[in-house]
Amino acid sequence: MEKREQLYEGKAKKVFATDDPNLVIVSYKDDATAFDGLKKGTITGKGSINNRMTNFLMKKLEAAGVPTHLVEELSDRDTLVKKVSIVPLEVIIRNVSAGSFSKKYGVPEGIVFDAPTIEFSYKNDDLHDPLLNAYHAVALKLATWEEIELIKKYAFAVNDFLKAEMLACGVTLVDFKLEFGKTAEGQIVLADEISPDTCRFWDVKTNEKLDKDRFRRDLGNVEGAYHEMMKRLGLAE
Ligand code: ADP
Ligand code: UDP
C-alpha cells in the first residue's frame, strides 16, 4: 500500500490517503510539542519508537479483545490503519496522581489511587482542549451515550492490560491518553497512539521518569528514556 496525498499534518504525525478510501497511512515524526504547542523540539528517533511501540501494544490489545485501527506496520515510521472519524475526546486514565491532576487539585505527584480515574477533554485546539463530562459530550453531540459507555469499557480494559504489561517490565503506568474513532462500518475502535508521548511511565523502583515529561520539564536524557522503554518491552537491545 502506497502513500497518496497528505490529508493532515499534526504535531507528531502526518496522515496520508491510500488507494483504499477506508485505509490511511500514519507517519510518525520526531517533532515534539508541549504546553499547548508553546514548547517545540525534536526527539531524535521518537517517530520510529512511537510507531513500533504503538503497534506492538495494539496488536496485544486486539488479542485481549479491544478493537483497534491497526492494519499493518509498513516501515519504521509508517503504519497502515483503518481510516476513522476521530471521536473528538481525549480519554485520560490515571492510576497515580501527576501532571494536571496534581496541579488542579493541589496534591503532590505520586499518590497511588485505590481505583483508576477517567476523564474526558474536548479535542479542540482553538479551545485548548477543555475538560468536560459525559453529559457535556452528549449535549455537544461529540458521541452518543452508547459510544461513551463503550469507550469507557475499552479504556479501562486498556488500563488493565497496559498496567500489567508495564509492571512486568519494571514500569509503573501512571496515566495515559487515548483517542477512539468510528470506522466506515460504524465500529468504535482504539485509534491514534500509545507511546511515551501519551503515557506517563515511571521506573517501579526509583520513580525515574521514562516518558515525555523529560522533554516537558527539561530533565535531560529524553532520547535515552524513550530507548529505555523500548528495551524494557523487548523491542530494542
Ligand atoms: P495532533 O492532531 O493532536 O497534532 P498528531 O500529530 O498525532 O496529533 O496527528 C495525528 C492525527 O491523526 C490526530 O489528529 C489523530 O486524531 C488522527 N488520527 C489518529 N488515528 C487516526 C485514524 N485511524 N484515522 C484518521 N485519523 C486518525
Ligand atoms: N496527554 C496527551 N496529550 C494531551 C494531554 C495529555 O497525551 O494533549 C497525556 C499525558 O502524556 C499524560 C496524560 O495524558 O500521560 C495526562 O496528562 P495531564 O492531564 O496530566 O496533562 P499534562 O500534565 O500533560 O498537561
Side-chain angles (χ1 to χ4, degrees), residues 87-91 119-123 130-149 151-152:
V87 176
L89 293 174
E90 298 202 334
V91 180
E119 73 210 43
F120 303 108
S121 25
Y122 181 15
K123 195 174 147 61
L131 197 67
L132 45 57
N133 67 32
Y135 290 86
H136 298 150
V138 171
L140 291 167
K141 298 196 162 51
L142 309 182
T144 66
W145 278 112
E146 291 72 25
E147 287 165 352
I148 287 175
E149 284 309 315
I151 285 171
K152 283 199 316 206

Side-chain angles (χ1 to χ4, degrees), residues 35 90 92-94 98-101 119 129 175-177 196-200 212-213 216-217:
F35 310 120
E90 298 202 334
I92 294 172
I93 298 260
R94 301 176 192 271
S100 72
F101 183 96
E119 73 210 43
D129 301 342
D175 59 27
F176 58 95
K177 182 266 304 178
D197 271 16
T198 61
C199 305
R200 285 194 169 95
K212 195 172 151 188
D213 270 348
R216 296 189 187 99
R217 302 178 188 189

Side-chain angles (χ1 to χ4, degrees), residues 8-15 24 26 29 33 69-70 81-87 90 123 125 129 177 179-181 189-193:
Y8 178 79
E9 174 158 13
K11 297 181 285 287
K13 300 189 285 305
K14 294 178 182 177
V15 181
V24 292
V26 290
K29 307 190 287 181
T33 64
H69 70 166
L70 177 64
V81 299
K82 290 178 187 161
K83 183 178 189 169
V84 299
S85 61
I86 291 287
V87 176
E90 298 202 334
K123 195 174 147 61
D125 281 339
D129 301 342
K177 182 266 304 178
E179 291 182 26
F180 292 86
V189 298
L190 179 64
D192 208 52
E193 65 179 280

Side-chain angles (χ1 to χ4, degrees), residues 21 42 49-50 61-62 64 80 87 101 131-133 139 151 158 187 193 199 209 218 229:
T42 303
I49 287 177
N50 288 3
L61 280 164
E62 284 276 356
L80 187 65
V87 176
F101 183 96
L131 197 67
L132 45 57
N133 67 32
I151 285 171
V158 171
Q187 193 196 13
E193 65 179 280
C199 305
K209 296 184 197 323
D218 295 317
M229 281 306 303

